[in-house]
DNA sequence: GAAAAAAGTTGAACTCGCTCATCTTTGCAG
DNA sequence: CTGCAAAGATGAGCGAGTTCAACTTTTTTC
């Protein structure tokens, strides 16, 4: 059985993260002070820093929870994708997009992305990078499945085109969170307009 | 003739920006305090804020200088690009990359990019966005030139593929500045590996 | 079960970006 | 040249993230 100390630690960490998820969404990342989180989690400011190195780390931890879910759903889809190349790719990508705002606001995404660029060497910066890599990996895996099925031309390299695709959908997602007015539907339209022509180029059969 | 007041203003602004360019590169963006810039420019802290709204704005001003130069060179190349599709695209992109570290460190790029994501609504966030758009525009313009020449298939849309390409080269550049170890040569290799297959897909003739 | 060691918590203090009430300089009218 | 208005410079002070030396709690040792 876990010792008292260990249980208390796990409990405190959970309380801090829970406070963060709640307050960040309710009041905005910026507006929430570490002192507020400490108060809500019933610990001191110093203790918060014992569990997370920076305020940004707390945010990345919440983003990670969100993205893990998205990755799980993607897994299922990659195993058994729809028929057409464009359909398969867009179903996967739209799955990512549609879940993105479930727990996180655009402000939180902006800050998290800014952090992953600014502090790539911190443990949590690395964690974010790893999530990105796994997402890119799913896109590649999907292309491989489609190629094995004979739907994608044999002379293209799934890893290369997968990275190209992922870079595109990632940049478009960045533009989406940067623009508070932009809707999910508009994001989908933009990306579809870019993916469809590419799908046509790499498909073996005529794409609809 | 310009009045004394006006001359002094212009002079102070120049001194602040000059101090920023010098010190940011020498000591790192983070390590340089506004007070240091004020001292170097022989003005007070408050005066620095009279010319630039935030520390980030000062950085964006230096980035803007850099990118304007790159855009000028790109202009010349777009007007008269090399023969092959991959060659033309890569020459343009490598021109961007090779100049990127002339005045700016990777740390400065990271901070500038983070800022453009986090604060897209500020005057300088918008300015950065505009630079991005102009770079993407050059890629599109290049594809149009190549298409007019008959080197690119008539059934592809330069704006769409141009955006896709730009998203890719932009994301790869982000990965480059995130990784302090990565060399320009490695960046070039990665991007070439992604652009070449795409160039083959959109070209009319066999690409080398 | 007491004492020592290890682990973890605490909050006052520090830093640095940024603001604003006050002061100084410049331009101009009479 | 003098006095006044406008423009701009100034730096003490504020707020929020972060640190760290002292304190408290838990675990281990004998």
């Amino acid at each position: 059985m876990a010792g008292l100390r260990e249980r208390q630690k796990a409990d405190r960490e959970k309380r801090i993260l829970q406070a963060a998820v709640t307050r960040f969404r309710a009041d905005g990342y910026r507006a929430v002070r570490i002192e507020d989180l400490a108060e809500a989690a019933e610990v001191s400011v110093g203790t918060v820093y014992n569990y997370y190195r920076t305020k940004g780390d707390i945010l990345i931890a919440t983003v990670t929870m969100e993205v893990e879910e998205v990755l799980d759903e993607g897994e299922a889809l990659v195993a058994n994708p729809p028929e057409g190349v464009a359909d398969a790719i867009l179903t996967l990508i739209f799955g990512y997009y549609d879940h993105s705002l479930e727990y996180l606001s655009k402000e939180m995404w902006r800050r998290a992305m800014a952090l992953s660029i600014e502090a790539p060497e911190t443990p949590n910066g690395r964690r974010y990078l790893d999530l990105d890599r796994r997402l890119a990996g799913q896109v590649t895996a999907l292309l491989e499945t489609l190629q094995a099925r004979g739907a994608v031309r044999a002379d293209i390299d799934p890893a290369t085109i997968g990275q190209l695709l992922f870079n595109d959908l990632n940049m478009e997602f960045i533009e989406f969170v940067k623009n508070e007015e932009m809707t999910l539907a508009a994001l989908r339209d933009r990306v579809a307009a870019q993916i469809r022509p590419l799908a046509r180029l790499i498909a073996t059969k005529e794409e609809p």
Side-chain angles (χ1 to χ4, degrees), chain A:
Chain A
M1 156 191 164
L4 170 60
R5 177 163 277 169
E6 229 165 307
R7 264 180 293 130
Q8 283 180 330
K9 261 180 68 169
D11 194 50
R12 274 192 274 260
E13 175 154 16
K14 211 179 67 189
R15 288 206 313 268
I16 294 169
L17 190 58
Q18 187 49 54
V21 170
T22 312
R23 306 298 303 272
F24 284 166
R25 270 204 65 100
D27 305 334
Y29 173 80
R30 192 97 192 241
V32 176
R33 299 166 310 150
I34 299 293
E35 208 185 318
D36 298 331
L37 294 183
E39 213 165 297
E42 295 182 293
V43 295
S44 72
V45 168
T47 297
V48 173
Y49 280 93
N50 227 310
Y51 290 91
Y52 299 95
R53 279 184 25 160
T54 66
K55 188 181 177 186
D57 275 7
I58 307 175
L59 179 61
I60 302 267
T62 74
V63 172
T64 301
M65 290 201 313
E66 152 88 24
V67 178
E68 292 284 0
E69 268 186 44
V70 168
L71 278 165
D72 280 350
E73 293 189 22
E75 205 70 45
L77 196 129
V78 166
N80 191 20
E83 276 301 309
V85 175
D87 267 4
I89 296 171
L90 290 175
T91 305
L92 178 65
I93 295 177
F94 291 175
Y96 297 161
Y97 289 161
D98 289 342
H99 276 75
S100 65
L101 298 184
E102 212 154 292
Y103 305 111
L104 304 172
S105 64
K106 285 190 177 184
E107 186 213 7
M108 289 165 76
W109 275 112
R110 285 197 297 270
R111 183 68 195 142
M113 289 170 155
L115 273 169
S116 83
I117 293 176
E118 262 199 280
E121 299 305 324
T122 62
N124 274 306
R126 255 186 272 274
R127 225 156 124 202
Y128 189 94
L129 186 63
D130 182 56
L131 293 175
D132 258 15
R133 261 202 274 267
R134 283 161 69 193
L135 287 166
Q138 280 194 345
V139 176
T140 298
L142 177 63
L143 289 177
E144 279 165 353
T145 306
L146 294 171
Q147 198 173 45
R149 269 192 193 168
V152 161
R153 290 168 50 166
D155 65 345
I156 75 119
D157 175 36
T160 304
I161 301 293
Q163 185 68 52
L164 182 83
L165 273 173
F166 178 73
N167 283 346
D168 187 59
L169 73 91
N170 209 2
M171 274 306 296
E172 291 296 332
F173 186 66
I174 290 177
E175 292 306 319
F176 168 67
V177 299
K178 271 166 76 169
N179 182 351
E180 206 64 56
E181 308 300 316
M182 192 173 175
T183 62
L184 266 170
L187 170 63
R188 274 202 227 96
D189 286 352
R190 271 187 69 91
V191 171
Q194 280 164 37
I195 301 298
R196 286 230 165 77
L198 187 69
R200 214 166 289 136
L201 290 169
I202 66 173
T204 47
K205 300 194 240 305
E206 198 63 42
E207 284 278 314

